[in-house]
Amino acid sequence: MALGSRSLQCAQNHVRGRSERGGGRPFVASTVAPRGRRSSVQCSAILGQLFKGASGAAAGAGVAAAAQPELEPEFQAWLRGQGIITQPLVLRQCGREGRGLVADRPLGRGEALLQLPDSLLLTPQRAAEESCLAPLLRQLSPAGASTSAAGAAALPLPEWSLLALYLAELRGRAAAGDRGSRWAAYVDMLPQRPGTVLDWPAKETRQLLRGSPLLRLADSIAAAAAASWEELAPLIARGRAEGLVPAHVSLSKADLDWAFGVLLSRCIRLPGRDQLQVLAPWADLLNHDVNAETGAAAAGAAGSGATGSGASGSGGCHLDWEPTARGGAGALVLRTDRAYAAGQQVYVSYGPKSSGELLLSYGFCPPPAANPHQDYKLLVGVNDSAAADPLAALKAEVLAKHGLPPSLEFPLKLEGLPAGLLNYLAFVEAAPQVPQELHDLGSLLFEEGVFPLLDGADTLAAALKSLGNRCTAALKAYPTTMEVDQALAAGAAAAVVNRSPRGPRGRASPTAATATGAAAAAAAAAAATATAGGDGLVTLGTEDVSVSVLREAAVAGIRVRERQILQRTQASAIAQLAEVKRAARSRRR
Ligand SMILES: C[S@@+](CC[C@H](N)C(=O)[O-])C[C@H]1O[C@@H](n2cnc3c(N)ncnc32)[C@H](O)[C@@H]1O
């Protein structure tokens, strides 16, 4: 097994992406309707949105482009007023995905479909300049300033905070009927509830994600939003005290929370402009294709950030800033990755994200079994196994020497072990009698890809044993069993679909809606806890209840897949360990 520093570098890049996401970012469009009773058809629509995946998003799925009333007419008129030609794409309702952009004539590969000039990008710089707090933002000391990712002017606050602050202000103005901003028509078409994890009740988040590595992601998203609020709250208070904030603009925490959700699910990062993060009206109506090639253009940002990097595979157009477009003035350009027939929806990729990552950052959950990016992110670090590893500091030092952090997330998949995992584990688990041997061990593992004997013990065997143990512990950490999760995933979905369409508070028996026996009983019990009725029946009387039940079902489906990945990894570690031991025995003979 020769895994060298290159493969470890790949793993490191992966983690770096995640921590960037944790740094905060944007977005989710939700078709969730306002509070109130909803019909089974509406519930099914929400269900469809959460579980969206293989069917509608498959490249090639057609959306009738025949004459239909124009969607978001005011927004589209505003775009036209700005000189934007939206053809040959038309805005359509695309079923479970909400609004989306559809070809209205056959498109060739590599065609430029959309060219947004800089003036139509809501950039952090622009947000700072147009904010009602601009005088304060200008005064912020250069010491506290950060340089924009685009390397342009120094920004007084992080990009995400500036965009959120201005979005929240725009929302307040819109709510008060103030149409003075030039972004008013854009803000009007943004979803009221982006549907990201920031919309989930905190207690529910912890309960739902217990045992899953997704809890770390949820925590990092919440922490980024909280940090941003901490940063903005005193500024807003000062602006209010100085009379800078118009009386009708609340700039409340709720407004900011909404803005964080919008950014998490809609912000776009532009590699062609040094990773500048922007909101791009119209371009942010592109939906995600789970089958698009890794690294394809992305609308959406969360974490690894919506990127507009090159799309080479199917099902993902390329979206990025092209400096030579518009006669050298530059523009955000969408290019087709292949030919499209009239009526086909055009997709981008939001990045190689697991269904859980999509659920938390964008509010929809493709079936995990159909998502090629589904994984279980195993966290491995020098301090995570033994509370007091006397060699921890030295290990961190050696890891740093090899360009590696003291802890790393490795994406376990059904298909096999991530590159570099065993090398990293072998190092983390090592306990040499002579500590300085860690230096040589690091060089062998990370530079040469060799697993040496350490004090007579096989370091590869130690890594495999550790991996098996970690999978066992991870499997035990889930609060539910596989059987219950399978029933929950199937049962809540069926409960919604089977709900009687008659009567605003129709009920469906979870027993009828789910599997039989113990699994059905478990689903019934779980469903009962999610309803106000307490009579063991699923009552989908309000949006919150139904969304909560559906979320539970989506997360249960994710847990099922995570468990399958852990079980297969565990079995593989055990089999490889047996092989290593057999080989050692035969060498001794
Ligand atoms: C950048 S917006 C795309 C436009 C969005 N459909 C709208 O109506 O505003 C991202 C949001 O679109 C929806 N979305 C995108 N791709 C999807 C997919 N494959 N399945 C279900 N929903 C999707 C999610 O609500 C997501 O938060």
Side-chain angles (χ1 to χ4, degrees):
M1 189 151 306
L3 302 174
S5 56
R6 193 157 163 257
S7 45
L8 274 164
Q9 186 61 42
C10 294
Q12 190 190 12
N13 286 342
H14 168 78
V15 171
R16 192 175 294 139
R18 279 185 43 85
S19 62
E20 282 170 4
R21 165 177 38 249
R25 230 140 301 155
F27 219 141
V28 170
S30 172
T31 54
V32 174
R35 275 168 179 276
R37 292 172 181 174
R38 53 176 63 244
S39 71
S40 61
V41 175
Q42 287 170 312
C43 289
S44 300
I46 301 171
L47 178 78
Q49 191 193 1
L50 275 176
F51 282 89
K52 161 68 203 80
S55 59
V63 177
Q68 290 176 20
E70 187 177 70
L71 275 185
E72 311 295 354
E74 199 188 330
F75 168 62
Q76 297 209 51
W78 171 70
L79 280 177
R80 284 191 291 270
Q82 306 287 320
I84 298 304
I85 301 163
T86 52
Q87 299 296 323
L89 297 178
V90 284
L91 184 61
R92 289 276 181 266
Q93 276 300 341
C94 297
R96 302 153 170 179
E97 297 158 24
R99 298 161 299 189
L101 298 181
V102 170
D104 77 339
R105 63 159 170 79
L107 303 173
R109 185 171 193 268
E111 252 192 79
L113 303 184
L114 156 76
Q115 304 212 13
L116 278 185
D118 177 78
S119 61
L120 270 190
L121 299 183
L122 185 40
T123 63
Q125 184 75 35
R126 198 157 272 137
E129 286 164 6
E130 296 180 13
S131 162
C132 63
L133 297 181
L136 288 187
L137 292 170
R138 277 195 294 272
Q139 281 170 25
L140 280 186
S141 73
S146 69
T147 301
S148 84
L155 293 172
L157 291 173
E159 291 184 335
W160 208 50
S161 293
L162 288 172
L163 287 169
L165 180 65
Y166 190 42
L167 258 189
E169 174 185 334
L170 291 173
R171 186 198 205 204
R173 289 184 185 277
D178 171 352
R179 320 259 332 138
S181 156
R182 73 184 181 103
W183 304 101
Y186 173 57
V187 173
D188 282 351
M189 60 72 73
L190 294 174
Q192 283 304 305
R193 292 182 65 175
T196 73
V197 70
L198 293 171
D199 288 344
W200 301 13
K203 196 171 158 207
E204 188 183 320
T205 304
R206 304 215 75 74
Q207 277 170 356
L208 271 185
L209 301 181
R210 215 172 99 210
S212 167
L214 288 175
L215 187 54
R216 288 197 299 274
L217 174 57
D219 283 345
S220 72
I221 292 174
S228 198
W229 170 247
E230 291 295 308
E231 190 169 49
L232 293 171
L235 195 72
I236 293 170
R238 199 178 139 203
R240 209 178 291 291
E242 294 184 15
L244 295 173
V245 184
H248 63 281
V249 175
S250 59
L251 275 183
S252 64
K253 182 159 186 309
D255 289 336
L256 263 300
D257 283 344
W258 168 83
F260 295 142
V262 168
L263 290 175
L264 189 59
S265 58
R266 302 187 89 85
C267 193
I268 299 175
R269 180 152 14 117
L270 302 176
R273 273 180 79 168
D274 291 333
Q275 308 296 338
L276 179 69
Q277 294 181 73
V278 301
L279 281 168
W282 187 253
D284 67 356
L285 286 161
L286 289 158
N287 289 318
H288 170 72
D289 180 358
V290 78
N291 290 310
E293 285 280 302
T294 301
S304 55
T307 86
S309 58
S312 55
S314 65
C317 290
H318 179 237
L319 179 68
D320 199 1
W321 181 260
E322 292 188 9
T324 53
R326 291 174 79 98
L332 178 65
V333 177
L334 177 74
R335 281 191 191 278
T336 49
D337 56 316
R338 61 187 175 84
Y340 286 82
Q344 273 189 309
Q345 187 180 175
V346 171
Y347 291 95
V348 291
S349 166
Y350 295 176
K353 297 188 193 315
S354 72
S355 295
E357 289 169 324
L358 290 169
L359 179 64
L360 300 193
S361 297
Y362 302 86
F364 68 96
C365 182
N371 182 350
H373 308 297
Q374 188 56 39
D375 60 17
Y376 177 100
K377 294 207 167 58
L378 182 70
L379 181 65
V380 181
V382 289
N383 273 325
D384 65 343
S385 49
D389 180 351
L391 299 177
L394 181 55
K395 284 181 185 173
E397 184 190 317
V398 174
L399 284 169
K401 203 173 85 187
H402 294 280
L404 294 166
S407 68
L408 263 177
E409 271 185 344
F410 288 89
L412 303 181
K413 292 195 158 201
L414 279 182
E415 299 79 36
L417 296 185
L421 167 60
L422 291 176
N423 310 54
Y424 197 89
L425 268 176
F427 186 80
V428 163
E429 295 294 346
Q433 287 164 9
V434 179
Q436 290 311 311
E437 284 188 10
L438 284 172
H439 289 282
D440 288 345
L441 179 64
S443 300
L444 286 167
L445 287 170
F446 303 131
E447 303 303 332
E448 296 178 35
V450 169
F451 290 85
L453 293 178
L454 188 64
D455 298 331
D458 189 331
T459 49
L460 177 56
L464 289 164
K465 191 167 171 219
S466 164
L467 179 58
N469 290 342
R470 284 165 193 264
C471 289
T472 306
L475 284 163
K476 279 193 189 143
Y478 290 109
T480 45
T481 64
M482 182 74 128
E483 192 186 34
V484 165
D485 277 340
Q486 281 165 337
L488 280 173
V496 174
V497 173
N498 290 351
R499 181 173 172 250
S500 163
R502 271 198 287 272
R505 293 186 69 83
R507 291 170 175 181
S509 156
T511 311
T514 64
T516 55
T529 63
T531 65
D535 54 5
L537 300 177
V538 178
T539 301
L540 299 171
T542 68
E543 174 188 308
D544 283 346
V545 169
S546 56
V547 169
S548 163
V549 168
L550 295 174
R551 244 183 238 139
E552 182 173 43
V555 173
I558 290 167
R559 278 197 300 259
V560 167
R561 200 57 169 182
E562 286 180 349
R563 270 205 203 77
Q564 288 167 343
I565 291 171
L566 285 168
Q567 284 166 348
R568 188 167 298 180
T569 306
Q570 187 186 41
S572 156
I574 291 169
Q576 284 189 58
L577 181 57
E579 185 52 41
V580 168
K581 285 182 175 167
R582 238 190 326 274
R585 273 197 304 274
S586 68
R587 272 199 305 274
R588 279 198 296 271
R589 268 192 237 119

